[in-house]
Amino acid sequence: MVNDGFEIVNHGLSHNRLEAVSLQKSAKKGTNKIYGWFAHTFLDNAEILIGDEEYKIISHSSDSDGQYFTVDKPLKKDCSVGTKIRLTGNFLENELFGKVEEIENKLNTKINHFTYPYTVSDERTRSLLKNRYFSSRAYNGWQFDNSKNLTNPGFNYFPFNNKFTLNSASFDTNYTNREVEEILKIGSMEGGVI
């Protein structure tokens, strides 16, 4: 694919959430279950901070109170609504850059762009990425009709001259067959190669 002109874009090592989230339900000291809509977006073995304490996620499940992940040890203190949960610094850097050099060497290509898992990031993530990549994208920040659909799509999020570039995250999830046919038809009429 690289030899035929396709670009390889980094999407993270294991698809963990790359932004901090806030607890919507308090968690008591001594529990090891963290409930929230976001639970599935932090994966098993992720090293996280809950407030300023480090934990490791060991499993995921749900019960009558909702979905949750279980951490490797009981919480050291009560955590109120609004307490931040995020990947530890070292774990985040590995999510962003782990195995990239190996892939670049194996494919003899340079990876220059990043697309966010779950289409989200925070300033800490964007700051790390800006030191290495030309752009970061969350569905490129555009819908099929070219209207902007995200308030924070990334940095330099649409650096391409080709308006017919299929946005990376939406291609296999959001375009209908009719929409793909229409893009190809328009590209063909304007001298594009199909």
Side-chain angles (χ1 to χ4, degrees), residues 32-40 42 44 57-71:
N32 65 349
K33 289 182 179 180
I34 306 301
Y35 287 88
W37 59 267
F38 53 77
H40 72 284
F42 292 101
D44 285 359
I57 297 174
I58 58 172
S59 66
H60 289 75
S61 193
S62 62
D63 59 22
S64 59
D65 290 329
Q67 63 180 343
Y68 64 87
F69 57 72
T70 305
V71 291

Side-chain angles (χ1 to χ4, degrees), residues 92-161:
L92 174 62
E93 287 194 38
N94 192 52
E95 280 295 304
L96 299 177
F97 308 119
K99 303 282 186 184
V100 170
E101 191 173 317
E102 182 181 327
I103 293 168
E104 289 176 332
N105 290 336
K106 188 176 274 191
L107 298 177
N108 194 29
T109 191
K110 181 81 173 131
I111 297 174
N112 294 312
H113 307 282
F114 192 96
T115 300
Y116 300 113
Y118 307 105
T119 75
V120 294
S121 65
D122 57 21
E123 186 53 42
R124 182 176 67 140
T125 297
R126 290 188 300 276
S127 178
L128 288 168
L129 290 172
K130 283 179 185 178
N131 293 324
R132 179 159 181 158
Y133 294 109
F134 296 144
S135 74
S136 67
R137 300 170 239 167
Y139 289 114
N140 288 341
W142 298 84
Q143 294 176 344
F144 175 73
D145 63 2
N146 286 334
S147 62
K148 204 169 178 183
N149 68 339
L150 295 172
T151 56
N152 180 22
F155 60 90
N156 299 329
Y157 55 87
F158 202 64
F160 308 104
N161 293 326

Side-chain angles (χ1 to χ4, degrees), residues 171-184:
F171 176 69
D172 64 357
T173 59
N174 292 338
Y175 285 119
T176 65
N177 286 341
R178 186 196 60 75
E179 290 168 331
V180 170
E181 288 169 6
E182 188 64 24
I183 289 170
L184 294 174

